[in-house]
Amino acid sequence: MDKEITDIRYQRQVTLKGFGEAAQKALLQAKVVIVGAGGLGCPVLQYLTAAGIGSIGLVDDDVVSLSNLHRQVLYDTSDIGKSKCAVAAAKLRLINPDTVFTEYQSYLDKNNCLDIISGYDIIVDCTDNFATRYMLNDACVLKGKPLVYAAVNRFEGQVAVFNTIKGDGKYSANYRDLFPEQPGQGEVLNCAEAGVLGVLAGITGSMQANEVIKLITGIGEPLINRLLTYNALTNQLTVFKYDCTALSASIIPKDEIAFKKMDYAQDCAVEDNGFGITIEKFKELVAEKKVRVIDVREPHELPLITAFETTRIPLGELEKKLPGFSGTAIVFICQSGARSLRAAEAAAGYFENKGRFYSLNGGIAAWEMMHQKQLT
């Protein structure tokens, strides 16, 4: 591309006092990988691309779904069913042809994580599950990589910068210094279950991109050893300070061999204990009218189910409703399958009968994904 056109592209940044050509050159030479091309990943990718990051990696194995579109603003209706990674890269190249994109259309796990992040200067956590978040943090500590973190839920977002080298040569605090242990599945509702305001992802993701730019260019004060929280309802910003802990150091695997022996997914998992059933089996039972389906989500939760008949009994109200259950087999459902599994366990314990209570694996999210794939 013609140098003059390139200069014009970044002119508004270069003319900033305290930024200048040196900062822009640092951006053009930087290599950043974004893990997750969803609600947070979209604004991060858009603003870092537009700012002139030289090389960007995208890691995401998911496809675009209709429920993504209210917050994942890189995609449109025509992209449903397509790879997020591929669609995002194609659109980002139109924003800035100068940036080199590398697509990783695979799920990040302990077998590929260290290799992927090793080629980048800064790692950006735009994930939506605790197993990947803790794994990514530990990998960054092992590889000595700075990690820019953000998360959103309901009306609140949070941003922090982990594992940067301080002036004394030591590393700053990491995610485990803030949250040492992984929560179990269902202990903290994800966005699919609790919901999230779409614009919040844009606000929080933009803050996250800002931290990346500050780290690369050396401007401002990055959120090192500080957690910023933002409430979209009140516009209140709060910053919490924290520091390195001995507990964190004792939990993180000591080397790559120990890292690959970690079971991050299991740490967040709920044991099936024989209650889970597949979508295929569930469809058979519903078609044969051999089960009653009970939705244990809260009354306000969407989507509404129209494909089969359900009764809505929130998990918190289930215990007092159990005595009225008939002898019909029951399949409990929820958004992701975590709450329904707890409901099946509770019902089986109450009646001392494990054989007629089930939980739909993957919940309504899995049901909808299967339906979308059939349509596309």
Side-chain angles (χ1 to χ4, degrees), residues 268-306:
C268 280
V270 172
E271 291 293 332
D272 184 293
N273 292 331
F275 294 103
I277 61 169
T278 65
I279 291 176
E280 290 73 19
K281 181 63 176 177
F282 173 69
K283 289 173 68 176
E284 289 179 13
L285 294 173
V286 170
E288 295 169 3
K289 298 183 179 179
K290 291 183 177 180
V291 292
R292 178 184 179 189
V293 181
I294 294 181
D295 185 345
V296 296
R297 296 177 300 164
E298 296 300 311
H300 65 274
E301 289 188 65
L302 298 174
L304 297 176
I305 303 300
T306 58

Side-chain angles (χ1 to χ4, degrees), residues 232-284:
L233 296 180
T234 63
N235 277 332
Q236 183 176 10
L237 287 167
T238 307
V239 177
F240 302 92
K241 293 183 178 181
Y242 59 95
D243 211 337
C244 299
T245 65
L247 177 58
S248 167
S250 69
I251 296 173
I252 293 175
K254 303 303 180 186
D255 53 36
E256 293 188 17
I257 295 174
F259 175 80
K260 290 188 176 182
K261 290 181 180 179
M262 295 285 284
D263 194 347
Y264 294 95
Q266 184 60 36
D267 287 345
C268 280
V270 172
E271 291 293 332
D272 184 293
N273 292 331
F275 294 103
I277 61 169
T278 65
I279 291 176
E280 290 73 19
K281 181 63 176 177
F282 173 69
K283 289 173 68 176
E284 289 179 13

Side-chain angles (χ1 to χ4, degrees), residues 107 128-132 134 181-193 263-273 276 315 333-343 345 359-366:
Y107 187 77
D128 60 359
N129 68 87
F130 288 107
T132 306
Y134 278 88
E181 300 282 359
Q182 295 179 220
Q185 187 175 337
E187 289 182 20
V188 180
L189 297 182
N190 59 31
C191 290
E193 297 170 320
D263 194 347
Y264 294 95
Q266 184 60 36
D267 287 345
C268 280
V270 172
E271 291 293 332
D272 184 293
N273 292 331
L315 184 61
I333 63 171
C334 66
Q335 192 65 23
S336 69
R339 283 174 288 174
S340 59
L341 190 56
R342 287 156 58 192
E345 290 175 335
S359 169
L360 177 61
N361 292 340
I364 296 165

Side-chain angles (χ1 to χ4, degrees), residues 37-330:
L40 291 167
C42 284
V44 170
L45 284 163
Q46 287 170 290
Y47 277 108
L48 292 186
T49 299
I53 299 296
S55 179
I56 292 179
L58 297 79
V59 185
D60 201 308
D61 71 329
D62 200 5
V63 297
V64 180
S65 66
L66 183 59
S67 63
N68 297 152
L69 300 185
H70 91 291
R71 67 198 182 281
Q72 299 182 17
V73 293
L74 259 176
Y75 314 117
D76 58 56
T77 306
S78 68
D79 298 323
I80 291 173
K82 299 177 184 177
S83 162
K84 287 184 180 179
C85 224
V87 172
K91 294 186 178 183
L92 293 166
R93 289 186 180 101
L94 296 176
I95 294 175
N96 192 345
D98 293 346
T99 299
V100 176
F101 296 95
T102 303
E103 302 168 36
Y104 301 93
Q105 295 184 32
S106 59
Y107 187 77
L108 194 74
D109 60 29
K110 61 186 180 182
N111 295 313
N112 62 18
C113 183
L114 295 174
D115 289 337
I116 288 175
I117 70 170
S118 64
Y120 295 91
D121 306 315
I122 295 176
I123 317 305
V124 187
D125 177 5
C126 297
T127 61
D128 60 359
N129 68 87
F130 288 107
T132 306
R133 189 169 294 157
Y134 278 88
M135 179 191 66
L136 191 56
N137 174 79
D138 293 356
C140 287
V141 172
L142 285 175
K143 287 291 187 180
K145 300 287 185 179
L147 176 65
V148 180
Y149 154 84
V152 291
N153 195 276
R154 294 178 175 163
F155 301 102
E156 186 170 287
Q158 53 185 218
V159 186
V161 174
F162 301 125
N163 205 51
T164 60
I165 299 179
K166 299 184 294 182
D168 58 5
K170 297 181 180 179
Y171 281 92
S172 66
N174 63 76
Y175 185 70
R176 285 194 188 269
D177 290 309
L178 194 57
F179 306 109
E181 300 282 359
Q182 295 179 220
Q185 187 175 337
E187 289 182 20
V188 180
L189 297 182
N190 59 31
C191 290
E193 297 170 320
V196 63
L197 190 67
V199 69
L200 176 65
I203 294 169
T204 309
S206 296
M207 291 181 180
Q208 195 175 13
N210 186 47
E211 294 304 304
V212 175
I213 291 171
K214 287 193 291 182
L215 283 178
I216 294 170
T217 61
I219 64 172
E221 298 181 10
L223 288 167
I224 298 170
N225 286 15
R226 296 182 295 155
L227 176 73
L228 179 149
T229 67
Y230 170 73
N231 187 303
L233 296 180
T234 63
N235 277 332
Q236 183 176 10
L237 287 167
T238 307
V239 177
F240 302 92
K241 293 183 178 181
Y242 59 95
D243 211 337
C244 299
T245 65
L247 177 58
S248 167
S250 69
I251 296 173
I252 293 175
K254 303 303 180 186
D255 53 36
E256 293 188 17
I257 295 174
F259 175 80
K260 290 188 176 182
K261 290 181 180 179
M262 295 285 284
D263 194 347
Y264 294 95
Q266 184 60 36
D267 287 345
C268 280
V270 172
E271 291 293 332
D272 184 293
N273 292 331
F275 294 103
I277 61 169
T278 65
I279 291 176
E280 290 73 19
K281 181 63 176 177
F282 173 69
K283 289 173 68 176
E284 289 179 13
L285 294 173
V286 170
E288 295 169 3
K289 298 183 179 179
K290 291 183 177 180
V291 292
R292 178 184 179 189
V293 181
I294 294 181
D295 185 345
V296 296
R297 296 177 300 164
E298 296 300 311
H300 65 274
E301 289 188 65
L302 298 174
L304 297 176
I305 303 300
T306 58
F308 47 86
E309 186 177 345
T310 66
T311 302
R312 182 78 67 110
I313 303 177
L315 184 61
E317 301 175 14
L318 184 65
E319 185 176 354
K320 61 184 179 183
K321 301 281 188 178
L322 287 175
F325 286 3
S326 67
T328 306
I330 293 174

Side-chain angles (χ1 to χ4, degrees), residues 21-38:
E21 291 184 5
Q24 188 61 54
K25 184 177 180 180
L27 292 179
L28 292 169
Q29 294 176 339
K31 297 180 178 181
V32 179
V33 63
I34 290 86
V35 183

